[in-house]
Amino acid sequence: MVDHVGAQVISAARPEWIFPFTGLQPAQFRRLVKLVAERGGDAIADGRPGRQWSLDLADRVSLVAAYWRTNLTMRQIGPLFGVSHSAAHRVIDTLGPLLALAPVRRRRVDQITIVDGTLIPTRDHRLAAPSKNYRYSTNLQVAIDAHTRLVVALGDPQPGNRNDTIVYRTSGIDQKLAGRPVMADGAYRGNPEVIIPYRKPADGSELPDWKADLNKHHRTVRAQVEHALARMKCFKILRDYRRAAHTLTDTASGIAHLHNIILAG
């Protein structure tokens, strides 16, 4: 699409490029850029003595979101924005954490959250482990508000060969959700504070009708978190994470933030 670095193709100044590469509507994107500026995005220097960014803040935010959404390599994403691959790498490293989901400080008394884990194929074997998807993966715990369907918390990624019931505790998401009801599937057995479906009796008999009905309702409600995970994975970087594993926390948090902006409208 470009012959050399410096011939910018994608720009946030052209609204028609915003949605295809970020998933956000132009008004949503402008609010995001304003938030990143308030978090100090304008104050971050390029990192090279005497050099300023060749892209303004809006284009840098667009680059990060486009990278997450397309999972292009640095040598591909850089020229699309008219910068070198090393500059694109610096933009993502410095600006990505500023897009992260803000911690929920106040929660409704009646808030019910739904938690589930998803495997993120991760090439950094310092954290990833062989898992049931036959790839080196990490286990990412995601919790949503059952009413709004917005992501409210994420756990720290853990090796993908660990079960959800263990990762729920080791990822720290249990502490973030403490004090409110939490729903999950049967894989979270062993965490008494989590509401899981009724299990069939050990003797093989059928569940009473009232328990079967509650399980059916439980599945219907719990499906919302699976839908949220599917929407988050529209950002293709979560389908094949090539960066260092320690950056996955900020990346997943940023994508959860974008997911919430898209869902809230």
Side-chain angles (χ1 to χ4, degrees):
M1 297 178 68
V2 293
D3 294 328
H4 54 82
V5 172
Q8 183 173 352
V9 173
I10 300 174
S11 172
R14 299 176 60 184
E16 66 270 21
W17 286 113
I18 293 175
F19 179 76
F21 284 93
T22 69
L24 303 177
Q25 297 297 334
Q28 296 171 332
F29 179 77
R30 288 193 294 271
R31 291 197 297 270
L32 177 63
V33 174
K34 181 180 178 181
L35 175 63
V36 173
E38 292 171 351
R39 291 177 171 180
D42 268 333
I44 298 175
D46 188 357
R48 295 175 298 175
R51 299 290 296 273
Q52 295 298 316
W53 295 109
S54 58
L55 300 176
D56 64 19
L57 181 61
D59 282 333
R60 281 182 276 144
V61 172
S62 180
L63 187 154
V64 175
Y67 171 64
W68 289 346
R69 195 159 182 85
T70 63
N71 203 20
L72 296 173
T73 65
M74 297 296 171
R75 292 186 182 276
Q76 292 170 323
I77 198 73
L80 286 178
F81 285 83
V83 298
S84 67
H85 69 277
S86 58
H89 196 284
R90 291 195 300 275
V91 168
I92 293 164
D93 273 350
T94 57
L95 212 60
L98 298 185
L99 273 67
L101 184 70
V104 178
R105 295 181 180 178
R106 298 182 64 182
R107 298 172 58 190
R108 301 191 320 273
V109 175
D110 62 343
Q111 184 188 57
I112 298 174
T113 54
I114 314 170
V115 67
D116 199 5
T118 187
L119 292 175
I120 307 296
T122 305
R123 300 197 187 189
D124 187 348
H125 294 183
R126 288 173 293 182
L127 178 62
S131 50
K132 61 184 179 182
N133 63 355
Y134 304 106
R135 301 181 63 180
Y136 275 83
S137 302
T138 50
N139 184 320
L140 178 69
Q141 297 286 304
V142 178
I144 67 168
D145 184 305
H147 177 67
T148 64
R149 298 177 293 158
L150 299 177
V151 177
V152 295
L154 296 97
D156 293 329
Q158 302 292 303
N161 59 352
R162 296 182 184 175
N163 295 328
D164 284 337
T165 187
I166 296 172
V167 176
Y168 177 73
R169 299 188 297 270
T170 60
S171 68
I173 199 170
D174 60 333
Q175 298 300 315
K176 296 178 182 179
L177 301 179
R180 299 291 187 277
V182 180
M183 294 180 64
D185 60 29
Y188 289 78
R189 187 184 182 192
N191 295 292
E193 72 277 17
V194 178
I195 303 168
I196 62 174
Y198 288 103
R199 294 172 60 88
K200 284 189 175 182
D203 60 9
S205 60
E206 295 297 322
L207 287 171
D209 289 344
W210 67 273
K211 286 188 177 181
D213 289 342
L214 283 176
N215 280 359
K216 182 178 179 180
H217 181 66
H218 190 282
R219 286 194 299 271
T220 301
V221 175
R222 196 181 69 244
Q224 296 179 58
V225 72
E226 297 171 1
H227 298 162
L229 292 173
R231 287 190 296 267
M232 286 178 64
K233 288 192 175 182
C234 288
F235 291 85
K236 295 181 180 179
I237 194 171
L238 295 183
R239 301 180 186 181
D240 182 15
Y241 200 77
R242 298 189 299 266
R243 306 193 71 214
H246 71 83
T247 65
L248 179 54
T249 298
D250 285 335
T251 299
S253 183
I255 290 172
H257 187 195
L258 296 181
H259 163 273
N260 287 357
I261 292 173
I262 294 169
L263 190 62

